[in-house]
Amino acid sequence: RRAGLAWAAALLLLLLLLAALGAQAAAGDFDPYRVLGVGRSSSQADIKKAYKRLAREWHPDKNKDPGAEDKFIQISKAYEILSNEEKRANFDRYGDAGESQGYSQHQHRQFHHFHEGFYFDESFFHFPFNSERRDTSDEKYLLHFSHYINEIVPDSFKKPYLIKITSDWCFSCIHIEPVWKEVAQELEVLGAGIGVVHAGYERRLAHHLGAHSTPSLLGLINGKITFFHNAVVRENLRQFVENLLPGNLVEKITDQNYVRFLSNWKKENKPHVLLFDHMPVVPLLYKLTAFAYRDYLSFGYVYVGLRGTEELSSQYNINVYTPTMMIFKEHIDRPADVVQAREMKKQLIDDFLSQNKFLMVARLTNQRLFQELCPVKKSHRQRKHCVVLLTGEGDKFAEDYEAFLTFAVANTKDTLKFAHIYNDRQPEFADALLMDEEKYRGKSAVVILERRNNAGKIAYKTLEEAWQGSKEDNFILLDLLDQLRTDPGLLSSETVLADLNDELAPMFLIRWLYSTLDYISDCWDSLFHSNWREMMPLLSLLFSALFILFGTVIVQAFSDSSETRDSPPSEKEETAAKTEKNDASFSKESNRIPKKGFVEVTELTDINYNSNLVRLRPGHMNVVLILSNSTKTILLQKFALEVYTFTGSSSLHFSFLSLDKHREWLEYLLEFAQDAAPIPNQYDKHFLERDYTGYVLALNGHKKYFCLFKPHRSGDEGGTLGSCEDYDSALHTEARGKSSCSPGSRAIKNKLHKLSFWMERLLEGSLQRFYIPSWPALD
C-alpha cells in the first residue's frame, strides 16, 4: 500500500513538472508581434490600430468561437507589451517583457480578470474602466501643472474655464461622461475654456486646485476657483459657467437709455457695441464675448421684440428678423461698423470686434493702451506712427479736438494711429515732447512719434505751430505724413518717455474693499461646502480666539465663586442646588431624551423632496422607511417604536417613501450599493416584482451618500418567525383585513427587527456609506 502511494506521488510530481515545462515553453513561444500581426519596426499608431481591429474581431461578446476568450487575452497581453516602450525593449532584447511568463492559461486568465482591467466585469456592465479603452475626447483638454500656471490662469482673465477632475476606476466619472462631453463641446464653441485634470497623474495640480475627490467640477475665472455643487446636467453646467461671469457685463438697452449709453464713450474712452436680437435673454455667447473684450469695449443688448425699442430699431434701420451688431465710436448718430448674420458665430464676432477695439482718436489713459496703439517697430516694413494731440480739458479746447478728429477720420490708414492726451493728467508725457512750454501754454500741439523700444525710447517731431484745426494746419500735418512715407529720418528728435499714469484705475480704498469682499466670499463658500483643508488656518485662528475668550470667562467665574464660597447659602439656594444636581445626574443617565411623545414621520414627495433631502443642512440626515400601500400601517408602527429613542437628536429627520410610486428612484439609488441590489438584466423576469419593503435608508443630502438597512429575514428572535407565514402570504393576509397580531403582520413587523441597533451604529458613524454623484429627481 505504501509502495502504491509512493508511485502515485511520483506520478503526480512528474505530471506537475511536465505541465510547468509545457507552460514555460508556451510562454517562451509567445510573440506579441505575431499575435498582433505587425512588424518589429511598426510605430505605436500601427500597433494600436492592429490591436483595435483584432479586439473588435475576437471580443467574446461578439465572437462566439470557443477559443475567442483565450485569443482575446493573448491580443490584450501582446498590446500591453508593445504599447509600453520599456516592456517592448525588454522583449526585443531578451525575448521577455521583464515579467514572469510562466503562468498557465488558467492562471493568466484569472490574473487578467482581476488585475489588468476587469475584462469580465467591463464587458458585462459595459463600463470602460481601463484608461486605454476609455474615450479619448478628453485628451486635448488635459492640463499639466506648469501649463495651468503659465497659460490657463492668465487666460482665465479673458474667458472662464470649466475644469473636470477625473481618475481611473471611478464609477461616478463614467456616470457624468456623456453630459460632460456634450457640455464641453457646446461651451468650447461659445468661447469658454475646457480643462481636464487626471488626479492619478497630476496629483500636484489636483491638490493645488483643492479637488480631494473625483469626480469634481470647478470653474476658473480671473484666477479664482469656484466649485460646482449641483446635479451634473446640461442646464446646471451652463448656468454655472454663466454665473461665473460678472453681472454687469451687458446692459439692457431701450429707447429710454440708449442715448446715455452711447454717449459714455468719452467718459469710458471705449467704443460701444449694440447687439439687436429677438431673444428675450442675453445669449451666453454674447456674455462671453463681452467678458473677453471688456477692457476695450462696452456692450449693450437690445431685445427687438420688447415694447419700447421701436424708436431705436427705426433710427438705425434694424432688420428685426436677423441678429445685427453695431459699433459706435465718437459719433452716436451713425454706427462706425455693422455686421448682420442669421446665426452669430464666435469667429465672426471676434473678427468684427478685433478690428474696432479703439476709438478713432482714443485718449491715452494708461501705458497698456499706449503700447497697443503705438507698437514698437519690428522691421522697416512694419513701421507704425502715432499722431498725438496734446490738449487740455474743457470747452476751450473742444474745437481743436473736433478738427483733429475730422482729420483722423479722413486719413485713417493701417500704418497711422491717432490719439490725444490731456496735458494736465499726463504732465510728464507732455513735458518730454514740448520743449518750448511757453510757446504752447494754453494751446494744443500735435506730435508725430515712433516707439523704438519697450524701455520708452521714441523718435518724434512736433509741429512748429500750435494746433488750431485750420486748413493751413491740416495741410502742414498732411504734408509731413506724406514725407514720412519716404523719409523716416524726418523724426529727428529722440527722448525717453516715462510710463503713463493709469487715469481710470480705481482708488486704493475701493480696490481694498473689493479685495476684502472677494476674500469674505471665498471664505463663505469654502465654509458651506466643507472645503476644510483651505479653511484650516482661518478656523485655527477663530478657535484660538474663542478659547482665549472663554478661558478668561471661566477663570473669572471660578474666581467669583471662590469669593462667595465663604458665605452660607440660604434655603432657596440649597433647594436650587439640589434640583440642578438631580438634573445633571439625569442628563448623564440619558443623553438622548425624546423631545415629543410621538415620532413625526412625513412622506417623501415631489413637493418636499428638495427641502427634506437635496437642500438638507450639513450634518443632518433623513432616515427614510420604504413601504407599500399594503404594509404602510404595520411598518410605520414598528418603525416609530424602533426610532423613538432617537427623536431627541435635532439632526435626524424621519420620513417614509411609497414603493408603489417611486420604485425607479429607489432602484437608481440601490445600484450604488452593489451588494444590496444586483443590477438586473433583461432576462430577469422577477426583477419588477423585487420586494424592497422594510428597507431603511439614511440619506445625507449635503455630502451625497446614504447608509442602507436591509430587512431582517433569517433567524428566529423570540420565536416570532417560527409561527409566521412567508412574506407573500403576509401581504395577502394584510390585504384581506386580518388584525395586526396575525402571523402575517408579525412577519412584516419582523422586517425592522434590530433597526434600533442599526441606528446606534449610524450615529457612531461606523456604517458603510454609498456615495452617489447627484440626487435623482423623485418624479
Side-chain angles (χ1 to χ4, degrees):
R1 184 176 180 182
R2 290 182 180 177
L5 291 175
W7 275 106
L11 182 60
L12 180 60
L13 182 60
L14 180 61
L15 290 175
L16 290 176
L17 181 60
L18 291 175
L21 291 175
Q24 196 169 18
D29 293 339
F30 181 78
D31 185 357
Y33 293 103
R34 179 171 51 80
V35 172
L36 295 182
V38 296
R40 291 184 176 270
S41 60
S42 300
S43 64
Q44 285 294 335
D46 295 335
I47 292 173
K48 190 171 186 178
K49 184 177 179 181
Y51 165 72
K52 288 184 175 180
R53 176 177 57 80
L54 292 173
R56 285 194 298 267
E57 179 183 354
W58 290 97
H59 197 286
D61 286 352
K62 297 181 179 180
N63 195 322
K64 301 306 179 182
D65 190 296
E69 184 177 355
D70 291 337
K71 181 67 174 178
F72 184 81
I73 292 172
Q74 291 183 1
I75 293 170
S76 300
K77 185 64 178 178
Y79 179 69
E80 179 190 356
I81 295 173
L82 298 185
S83 62
N84 187 303
E85 294 296 343
E86 183 179 354
K87 292 183 180 180
R88 183 179 180 181
N90 288 336
F91 183 83
D92 291 341
R93 293 175 184 175
Y94 312 113
D96 193 342
E99 54 188 28
S100 178
Q101 299 282 339
Y103 295 112
S104 66
Q105 288 292 331
H106 179 69
Q107 291 172 325
H108 174 71
R109 187 181 301 116
Q110 286 182 340
F111 179 77
H112 182 82
H113 285 184
F114 296 101
H115 181 74
E116 285 184 3
F118 291 95
Y119 152 70
F120 179 81
D121 290 340
E122 180 179 342
S123 63
F124 185 80
F125 293 114
H126 304 286
F127 285 166
F129 291 127
N130 195 319
S131 59
E132 294 177 354
R133 303 181 195 171
R134 295 181 65 176
D135 191 1
T136 58
S137 59
D138 285 344
E139 289 183 359
K140 64 177 181 178
Y141 304 128
L142 287 176
L143 302 180
H144 306 286
F145 186 82
S146 59
H147 173 61
Y148 171 82
I149 296 297
N150 299 324
E151 297 184 26
I152 301 301
V153 172
D155 198 39
S156 69
F157 289 86
K158 298 179 182 178
K159 61 182 179 183
Y161 274 82
L162 182 64
I163 300 176
K164 177 181 71 171
I165 316 296
T166 184
S167 63
D168 289 334
W169 319 104
C170 173
F171 285 87
S172 301
C173 300
I174 301 169
H175 180 76
I176 69 172
E177 194 69 28
V179 179
W180 164 261
K181 185 187 299 184
E182 177 187 1
V183 174
Q185 294 175 351
E186 179 183 357
L187 293 178
E188 188 178 25
V189 172
L190 296 179
I194 304 297
V196 176
V197 177
H198 198 293
Y201 305 126
E202 289 293 333
R203 295 183 181 180
R204 181 183 178 190
L205 179 54
H207 180 75
H208 176 79
L209 295 174
H212 306 293
S213 62
T214 57
S216 295
L217 297 176
L218 57 92
L220 174 69
I221 189 169
N222 293 331
K224 177 185 175 183
I225 296 172
T226 304
F227 276 84
F228 175 79
H229 298 288
N230 296 325
V232 183
V233 295
R234 176 179 174 273
E235 292 75 14
N236 289 352
L237 288 174
R238 277 181 58 95
Q239 190 62 43
F240 173 68
V241 173
E242 191 167 349
N243 291 340
L244 293 176
L245 300 170
N248 58 349
L249 284 174
V250 182
E251 184 176 352
K252 295 289 186 67
I253 304 300
T254 63
D255 294 340
Q256 304 298 324
N257 62 354
Y258 82 94
V259 175
R260 175 194 58 78
F261 174 75
L262 297 178
S263 300
N264 281 339
W265 67 266
K266 194 168 188 178
K267 178 181 178 182
E268 299 177 357
N269 195 36
K270 297 178 182 178
H272 283 58
V273 186
L274 283 182
L275 175 65
F276 296 81
D277 204 347
H278 51 79
M279 300 293 292
V281 296
V282 182
L284 180 57
L285 171 61
Y286 196 53
K287 289 185 177 181
L288 292 170
T289 303
F291 180 76
Y293 290 91
R294 69 189 185 282
D295 293 336
Y296 302 96
L297 302 164
S298 293
F299 291 82
Y301 181 76
V302 182
Y303 172 35
V304 293
L306 180 67
R307 181 177 298 176
T309 60
E310 297 86 354
E311 177 185 343
L312 188 57
S313 302
S314 175
Q315 178 174 349
Y316 299 115
N317 193 23
I318 300 300
N319 182 357
V320 297
Y321 300 104
T322 304
T324 304
M325 185 174 288
M326 292 184 172
I327 293 262
F328 294 85
K329 296 186 178 179
E330 285 87 348
H331 302 102
I332 67 172
D333 56 336
R334 62 182 184 276
D337 204 354
V338 181
V339 64
Q340 283 186 341
R342 290 191 176 274
E343 186 176 358
M344 287 286 183
K345 298 289 187 180
K346 182 181 184 304
Q347 186 62 45
L348 175 66
I349 296 177
D350 287 343
D351 294 341
F352 177 69
L353 296 181
S354 60
Q355 298 173 4
N356 295 280
K357 291 166 58 176
F358 306 105
L359 296 169
M360 297 302 299
V361 182
R363 180 161 63 91
L364 300 179
T365 56
N366 54 59
Q367 186 66 19
R368 179 189 60 81
L369 183 59
F370 178 49
Q371 291 174 349
E372 291 196 47
L373 282 173
C374 307
V376 177
K377 70 168 187 176
K378 297 181 180 179
S379 66
H380 178 72
R381 294 182 179 181
Q382 295 181 347
R383 287 181 181 273
K384 289 190 177 181
H385 301 93
C386 281
V387 185
V388 183
L389 173 68
L390 290 83
T391 184
E393 298 184 71
D395 297 335
K396 177 182 177 181
F397 302 94
E399 294 183 2
D400 299 343
Y401 170 76
E402 291 296 335
F404 187 75
L405 175 61
T406 303
F407 181 88
V409 173
N411 295 275
T412 301
K413 297 178 182 178
D414 292 339
T415 57
L416 282 179
K417 292 294 182 181
F418 294 88
H420 72 285
I421 198 168
Y422 289 153
N423 297 338
D424 295 339
R425 299 196 181 189
Q426 304 289 348
E428 295 182 358
F429 187 93
D431 293 344
L433 297 177
L434 300 178
M435 303 301 296
D436 190 355
E437 297 183 7
E438 294 297 331
K439 181 179 179 179
Y440 299 101
R441 186 177 299 276
K443 299 179 182 180
S444 301
V446 173
V447 176
I448 305 173
L449 61 87
E450 177 186 350
R451 293 180 64 225
R452 294 295 174 83
N453 58 33
N454 292 320
K457 183 179 180 180
I458 65 166
Y460 71 97
K461 180 175 180 59
T462 306
L463 269 65
E464 296 181 359
E465 300 296 331
W467 174 266
Q468 297 178 351
S470 62
K471 290 184 178 180
E472 183 180 358
D473 292 341
N474 286 334
F475 285 135
I476 294 174
L477 180 56
L478 187 60
D479 183 57
L480 286 175
L481 293 177
D482 288 338
Q483 295 180 38
L484 195 60
R485 296 179 184 176
T486 57
D487 184 15
L490 186 65
L491 306 181
S492 56
S493 302
E494 291 186 351
T495 188
V496 177
L497 295 176
D499 289 349
L500 295 175
N501 303 323
D502 192 351
E503 300 177 14
L504 303 180
M507 298 174 59
F508 170 76
L509 183 61
I510 297 177
R511 294 201 303 269
W512 180 84
L513 180 61
Y514 285 158
S515 300
T516 303
L517 291 176
D518 288 341
Y519 181 75
I520 294 175
S521 176
D522 292 343
C523 293
W524 184 268
D525 183 71
S526 299
L527 181 63
F528 278 88
H529 291 103
S530 302
N531 229 346
W532 302 112
R533 289 175 174 85
E534 287 76 10
M535 290 295 296
M536 282 306 296
L538 181 61
L539 292 175
S540 177
L541 178 63
L542 178 62
F543 281 113
S544 299
L546 292 175
F547 179 78
I548 295 173
L549 176 63
F550 283 100
T552 306
V553 173
I554 292 173
V555 170
Q556 184 67 28
F558 273 106
S559 62
D560 293 341
S561 62
S562 62
E563 293 177 0
T564 59
R565 189 175 299 168
D566 297 335
S567 58
S570 61
E571 293 180 2
K572 293 182 177 180
E573 291 176 347
E574 290 178 355
T575 304
K578 291 179 180 179
T579 304
E580 291 175 359
K581 184 175 180 181
N582 293 335
D583 291 343
S585 62
F586 179 75
S587 63
K588 290 180 180 178
E589 294 174 359
S590 177
N591 59 354
R592 190 168 56 244
I593 304 174
K595 296 181 178 180
K596 302 177 181 179
F598 61 94
V599 181
E600 184 176 353
V601 184
T602 59
E603 183 177 3
L604 200 61
T605 63
D606 298 340
I607 300 175
N608 61 9
Y609 180 71
N610 284 335
S611 59
N612 285 5
L613 176 58
V614 179
R615 298 175 182 171
L616 209 58
R617 288 179 294 173
H620 287 237
M621 299 189 74
N622 196 341
V623 182
V624 181
L625 169 68
I626 308 301
L627 48 76
S628 61
N629 292 334
S630 59
T631 60
K632 182 176 181 179
T633 304
I634 301 175
L635 286 179
L636 279 178
Q637 292 176 354
K638 180 63 175 177
F639 181 74
L641 291 174
E642 292 287 331
V643 303
Y644 175 73
T645 56
F646 303 89
T647 56
S649 175
S650 60
S651 62
L652 291 180
H653 309 268
F654 301 94
S655 304
F656 70 90
L657 183 79
S658 174
L659 185 63
D660 302 319
K661 300 178 183 177
H662 306 295
R663 173 180 287 270
E664 292 182 3
W665 181 89
L666 177 63
E667 289 171 356
Y668 173 83
L669 249 63
L670 293 182
E671 286 181 5
F672 295 90
Q674 298 172 3
D675 58 337
I679 298 177
N681 56 44
Q682 57 184 343
Y683 303 107
D684 190 353
K685 299 179 180 179
H686 302 289
F687 175 73
L688 296 178
E689 302 173 1
R690 192 180 298 275
D691 175 35
Y692 295 116
T693 55
Y695 277 54
V696 179
L697 288 81
L699 310 173
N700 190 315
H702 179 68
K703 292 190 176 181
K704 296 184 180 64
Y705 72 82
F706 66 93
C707 302
L708 180 64
F709 171 84
K710 293 185 292 183
H712 181 75
R713 300 195 182 192
S714 60
D716 187 3
E717 295 291 333
T720 58
L721 281 180
S723 60
C724 292
E725 305 132 10
D726 60 5
Y727 178 65
D728 291 329
S729 63
L731 289 180
H732 294 302
T733 303
E734 183 65 16
R736 291 194 301 267
K738 294 273 184 175
S739 63
S740 60
C741 59
S742 65
S745 63
R746 288 199 301 271
I748 296 173
K749 285 183 178 181
N750 195 66
K751 282 174 167 283
L752 299 181
H753 184 60
K754 295 185 179 180
L755 177 61
S756 58
F757 297 101
W758 182 83
M759 291 291 298
E760 290 283 355
R761 294 183 60 195
L762 174 67
L763 295 181
E764 293 172 0
S766 59
L767 291 176
Q768 183 181 3
R769 299 178 179 180
F770 303 100
Y771 287 86
I772 65 172
S774 62
W775 293 113
L778 193 61
D779 56 351

